[in-house]
C-alpha cells in the first residue's frame, strides 16, 4: 500500500526545505526526502548550503578575516597583539559546530511546522509516485498530489585534475584541511576559488589561482572587477588569467600542475590543489524514464518561469534548474511554488537577485552591469562613492572599494547597484529593496540614512547620479 502526501519534496537544501516548510505552514501534508549524511555519518538536512557550502565557507571566511585583522591591522589602530596564531583544527571544529547547530535547526523547523523528514533516496516515478529508499530499509512507493524536485548541484570535475580526496580536492575537501598548506593551487577564479583561496591565503598559504578566461569575474561590473583584482592580488592571491590546465599529478608530498598560458607550457608545484570550476545540476537517479520531466540542453531540469516541469503538478527549484546557483534564489523559488500549490499567485523577480562574493572587501551587486547596459545600447547615468570618503569606513579602518549606482538616463530608474567594500553583502540589500519597489536614484537620494554608517555610501552614490553627492566633488553631469 502506498503512503499518500499532498506534497513530497525531494532534497532538503534551501530550495527544498523552504518549500517544505511553507507547504506545511499552508496546511499541506508534506514530506521531504533527503539522502545526505553529515561529516559524522548521521542523516543531515540543509543541503549543500548548510553542510558543505554557504555556512561552513562563511565560518572560515569570518574566522580567517579576524585573524588578518588581529595579525596585520590591529597595530594600525593602537592594539598590540604580538602573539596571534592560528589553530586550524579548532577553527574547523567551530565551523563544524556552526553547521551542526544550523542543520539541527532545520530538523527542529520541520518538527515545529509538521514536515515529515524521510531520510534516504527519492526518485520520481510516473503519475507523481515517488520511490523512497530509506538509508536502512527497503524501497517504498509513496503517492503525492504535488512533487517538488530540489536535488541541487554538485561540483564539476575536469579530466586533467582528477580528485584524489587528499591533495586534489573540490570545495568540500577545501573546507576541511587539517593544516594550512604552504602552497595552494586553485583551478577557477570564480566565487569558490576566490572565497576559499582567500581563506587559506589569509591563514598563511601562498595561493596561485589558475583561470581559463582572459577576463577576471566577467559577471561583475568591469570597474568593480578591476578594482577587486588589484586588491585581492595585493592580499597575496596570485591570479593567473588565460591559463589552460593540462594535467595535475600527485608526486610524493606535492601536486605538479601543468598548464599552458600565452607563453607556452608551464608547471606549478603545490601542496594542495582545489578544483573549483563550477557546479552542475544533480539529476543522477532522480527521474524514472517515464516520469514526464525533461532536461534542458545544459542538463538542468526543464522548467518555466513558475518552476513547472513538463509533468503536471511536478515542480523543480534551486540549483537543479536554470538561473544562478544561489541559496536565496532557490529558497525564493521553493516558497513561490509552495504558495502556488496552495492557490496563491506569487512570482519570483529574477531581475533583483543579489550576488555576493565574500572576499574582503566583499563584492556585491544587483541588476545590470555597466558593460551589459553599454552592449544593450541603454542610455544610463552612473554615480559612485568611494569608501575612502566614508566617515564610518575611515573610523573602522576599512576603506577599500566603492559603491556604484547606475540609473536610466531618461527615467532615473535604478538599473544596477554594485558594491566593492566592507559589508557589501549587507549594503546590497537596500539596493535590492529599492529596485524591487522600482525606485529611482533620486528616491534613494531623498531617503534619510543614519550617520555615520557605511550605508551612507549608497546614499551618496545615488545622489552622485545627478551630480549632487555632498561628501565628494561631483564630476560635471551633462
Ligand atoms: P542543495 O543545497 O544542493 O540541496 C539539494 C539536496 O538534495 C542535497 O542535500 C542532496 O543530498 C539532496 N538530494 C539530491 N538528490 C536526491 C535524491 N534523489 N534523494 C534525496 N535527496 C536528494 N550560495 C549562496 O547563495 N551564498 C553563498 O555564500 C554560497 N556559498 C557557497 C559556498 C560553497 C563552497 C558552495 C559549494 C556553494 C555555495 N553556495 C552559496 C551555493 C549554494 O550552496 C547553493 O546554491 C544552494 O545550496 C542550492 O540549494 P538547493 O536546495 O537547490 O540544492
Ligand atoms: P564559478 O562559475 O563561479 O567559477 C568557476 C570558474 O572556473 C570560472 O571563472 C570559469 O571560467 C573557471 N573555469 C572553468 N573551467 C576551468 C578550467 N578548466 N581551468 C581553469 N578555470 C576554469 O563556479 P564555482 O566557483 O565553482 O562556484 C559554483 C557555484 O556555486 C557558483 O556559480 C555560485 O553560484 C555558487 N557559489 C556561490 C557563492 C556565493 O554566493 N558567495 C559562493 C560559492 C559558490
Amino acid at each position: 500500500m502506498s503512503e499518500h502526501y499532498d506534497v513530497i519534496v525531494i532534497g532538503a537544501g534551501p530550495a527544498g526545505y523552504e518549500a517544505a516548510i511553507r507547504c506545511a505552514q499552508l496546511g499541506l501534508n508534506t514530506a521531504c526526502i533527503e539522502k545526505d549524511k553529515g561529516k559524522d555519518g548521521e542523516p543531515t538536512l540543509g543541503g549543500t548550503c548548510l553542510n558543505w557550502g554557504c555556512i561552513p565557507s562563511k565560518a572560515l571566511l569570518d574566522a580567517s578575516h579576524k585573524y588578518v585583522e588581529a595579525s596585520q591591522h590591529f597595530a594600525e589602530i593602537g592594539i598590540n597583539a604580538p602573539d596571534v596564531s592560528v589553530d586550524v583544527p579548532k577553527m574547523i571544529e567551530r565551523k563544524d559546530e556552526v553547521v551542526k547547530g544550523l542543520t539541527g535547526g532545520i530538523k527542529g523547523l520541520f518538527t515545529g511546522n509538521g514536515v515529515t523528514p524521510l531520510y534516504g533516496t527519492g526518485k520520481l516515478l510516473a503519475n507523481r509516485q515517488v520511490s523512497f529508499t530509506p538509508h536502512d530499509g527497503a524501497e517504498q512507493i509513496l503517492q503525492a498530489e504535488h512533487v517538488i524536485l530540489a536535488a541541487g548541484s554538485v561540483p564539476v570535475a575536469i579530466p586533467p585534475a582528477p580528485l584524489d580526496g587528499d591533495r586534489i580536492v573540490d570545495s568540500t575537501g577545501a573546507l576541511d584541511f587539517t593544516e594550512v598548506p604552504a602552497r595552494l593551487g586553485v583551478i577557477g577564479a570564480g566565487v569558490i576559488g576566490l572565497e576559499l583561496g582567500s581563506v587559506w591565503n589569509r591563514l598563511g598559504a601562498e595561493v596561485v589561482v589558475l583561470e581559463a578566461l582572459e577576463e577576471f569575474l566577467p559577471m561583475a561590473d568591469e570597474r568593480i572587477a578591476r578594482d577587486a583584482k588589484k586588491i585581492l592580488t595585493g592580499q597575496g592571491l596570485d591570479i593567473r588569467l588565460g591559463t589552460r590546465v593540462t594535467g595535475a599529478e600527485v608526486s610524493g608530498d606535492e601536486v605538479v600542475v601543468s598548464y599552458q598560458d600565452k607563453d607556452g607550457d608551464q608547471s606549478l608545484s603545490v601542496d594542495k590543489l582545489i578544483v573549483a570550476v563550477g557546479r552542475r545540476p544533480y539529476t543522477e537517479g532522480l527521474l524514472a524514464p517515464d516520469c514526464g520531466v525533461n532536461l534542458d540542453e545544459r542538463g538542468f531540469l526543464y522548467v518555466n518561469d513558475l518552476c513547472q516541469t513538463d509533468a503536471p503538478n511536478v515542480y523543480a527549484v534551486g540549483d537543479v534548474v536554470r538561473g544562478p546557483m544561489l541559496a536565496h534564489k532557490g529558497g525564493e523559488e521553493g516558497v513561490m511554488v509552495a504558495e502556488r500549490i496552495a492557490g496563491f499567485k506569487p512570482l519570483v523577480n529574477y531581475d533583483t537577485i543579489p550576488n555576493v562574493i565574500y572576499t574582503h572587501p566583499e563584492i556585491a551587486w544587483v541588476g545590470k552591469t555597466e558593460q551589459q547596459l553599454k552592449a544593450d545600447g541603454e542610455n544610463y547615468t552612473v554615480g559612485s562613492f568611494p569608501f575612502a570618503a566614508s566617515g564610518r569606513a575611515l573610523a573602522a579602518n576599512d576603506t577599500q572599494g566603492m559603491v556604484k549606482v547606475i540609473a536610466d538616463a531618461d527615467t532615473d530608474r535604478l538599473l544596477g547597484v554594485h558594491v566593492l567594500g566592507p559589508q557589501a553583502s549587507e549594503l546590497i540589500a537596500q539596493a535590492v529593496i529599492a529596485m524591487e519597489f522600482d525606485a529611482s536614484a533620486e528616491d534613494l537620494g531623498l531617503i534619510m540614512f543614519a550617520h555615520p554608517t557605511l550605508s551612507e555610501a549608497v546614499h551618496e552614490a545615488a545622489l552622485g547620479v545627478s551630480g549632487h553627492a555632498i561628501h565628494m566633488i561631483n564630476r560635471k553631469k551633462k
Side-chain angles (χ1 to χ4, degrees):
M1 209 182 72
S2 72
E3 208 165 329
H4 191 281
Y5 292 93
D6 292 331
V7 182
I8 294 177
V9 182
I10 301 183
Y17 79 69
E18 290 199 34
I21 289 172
R22 191 74 188 115
C23 284
Q25 286 173 343
L26 292 165
L28 299 160
N29 177 20
T30 305
C32 184
I33 305 177
E34 173 55 62
K35 68 177 182 155
D36 206 4
K37 290 186 177 175
K39 257 180 89 174
D40 57 5
E42 294 298 318
T44 183
L45 303 172
T48 305
C49 171
L50 267 60
N51 291 282
W52 327 103
C54 321
I55 297 301
S57 61
K58 268 78 245 178
L60 295 183
L61 278 156
D62 284 336
S64 57
H65 177 60
K66 287 189 165 94
Y67 172 65
V68 170
E69 284 291 291
S71 59
Q72 295 177 26
H73 300 303
F74 272 13
E76 296 163 6
I77 57 170
I79 301 174
N80 294 320
D83 292 326
V84 180
S85 62
V86 175
D87 179 344
V88 174
K90 172 76 192 157
M91 206 179 271
I92 299 293
E93 188 187 315
R94 189 199 77 99
K95 178 261 297 176
D96 291 341
E97 280 164 13
V98 173
V99 167
K100 198 77 191 148
L102 285 168
T103 54
I106 303 298
K107 199 173 171 191
L109 290 172
F110 274 12
T111 308
N113 285 287
V115 176
T116 305
L118 298 174
Y119 298 108
T121 304
K123 180 180 196 160
L124 179 70
L125 310 177
N127 303 316
R128 295 180 313 280
Q129 286 201 317
V130 173
S131 145
F132 166 56
T133 308
H135 287 309
D136 49 7
E139 181 189 27
Q140 304 162 25
I141 303 300
L142 313 176
Q143 179 69 54
E145 294 301 313
H146 303 267
V147 176
I148 304 175
L149 302 170
S153 63
V154 288
V156 167
I158 49 170
L163 306 188
D164 74 346
D166 174 29
R167 298 214 165 256
I168 309 181
V169 297
D170 59 15
S171 57
T172 302
L175 294 168
D176 273 328
F177 291 157
T178 49
E179 57 184 15
V180 180
R183 302 163 305 166
L184 173 67
V186 180
I187 307 182
V191 193
I192 292 178
L194 295 179
E195 290 188 358
L196 295 181
S198 290
V199 165
W200 295 106
N201 175 239
R202 291 169 187 176
L203 297 179
E206 243 174 55
V207 180
V208 177
V209 186
L210 301 173
E211 165 60 47
L213 298 177
E214 296 287 352
E215 203 183 334
F216 180 67
L217 286 184
M219 66 281 204
D221 185 85
E222 258 173 21
R223 170 70 201 270
I224 297 284
R226 195 170 63 233
D227 289 1
K229 179 161 182 281
K230 216 178 283 169
I231 293 170
L232 295 175
T233 303
Q235 290 172 3
L237 288 185
D238 178 352
I239 302 166
R240 302 182 188 174
L241 302 177
T243 59
R244 196 171 79 82
V245 174
T246 50
E249 261 183 45
V250 178
S251 160
D253 285 347
E254 61 178 23
V255 186
V256 181
V257 186
S258 22
Y259 66 94
Q260 294 171 334
D261 63 14
K262 61 179 181 3
D263 299 321
D265 290 335
Q266 310 286 351
S267 133
L268 171 75
S269 294
V270 292
D271 303 300
K272 297 272 186 187
L273 179 66
I274 305 174
V275 181
V277 295
R279 295 179 62 85
R280 63 174 176 82
Y282 183 52
T283 56
E284 279 85 342
L286 182 67
L287 307 173
D290 59 350
C291 71
V293 173
N294 293 307
L295 305 187
D296 68 17
E297 65 287 348
R298 295 169 58 218
F300 292 87
L301 300 186
Y302 173 77
V303 288
N304 63 14
D305 281 354
L306 301 178
C307 293
Q308 293 166 313
T309 69
D310 288 333
N313 293 350
V314 177
Y315 308 82
V317 291
D319 280 12
V320 79
V321 303
R322 82 286 174 269
M325 289 181 163
L326 296 172
H328 41 283
K329 173 263 191 186
E332 286 299 303
E333 288 179 333
V335 169
M336 182 267 290
V337 164
E339 296 192 349
R340 286 198 163 256
I341 289 172
F344 301 101
K345 303 282 177 215
L347 296 169
V348 170
N349 184 353
Y350 288 97
D351 292 334
T352 54
I353 298 175
N355 287 270
V356 180
I357 305 175
Y358 293 82
T359 46
H360 192 89
E362 293 177 344
I363 305 163
W365 71 92
V366 57
K368 296 261 173 79
T369 60
E370 187 168 355
Q371 67 267 23
Q372 276 173 331
L373 292 165
K374 212 175 271 172
D376 293 349
E378 299 280 348
N379 197 10
Y380 62 87
T381 318
V382 176
S384 58
F385 191 81
F387 283 104
S390 150
R392 186 61 196 273
L394 282 158
N397 195 32
D398 209 348
T399 54
Q400 287 178 315
M402 67 193 298
V403 178
K404 176 170 171 179
V405 170
I406 313 178
D408 187 300
D410 302 318
T411 65
D412 197 39
R413 186 168 160 261
L414 292 172
L415 299 175
V417 177
H418 305 268
V419 186
L420 169 67
Q423 297 184 40
S425 55
E426 302 292 341
L427 298 180
I428 204 66
Q430 46 201 278
V432 175
I433 295 169
M435 288 181 67
E436 190 66 49
F437 284 89
D438 251 337
S440 62
E442 185 184 27
D443 290 331
L444 210 46
L446 286 170
I447 292 169
M448 196 186 301
F449 285 68
H451 175 74
T453 55
L454 297 171
S455 301
E456 287 172 305
V458 177
H459 187 227
E460 291 278 354
L463 287 168
V465 168
S466 55
H468 295 144
I470 300 292
H471 293 92
M472 61 171 228
I473 307 299
N474 293 276
R475 275 213 232 130
K476 267 222 157 71
K477 297 277 167 183
K478 282 182 269 170

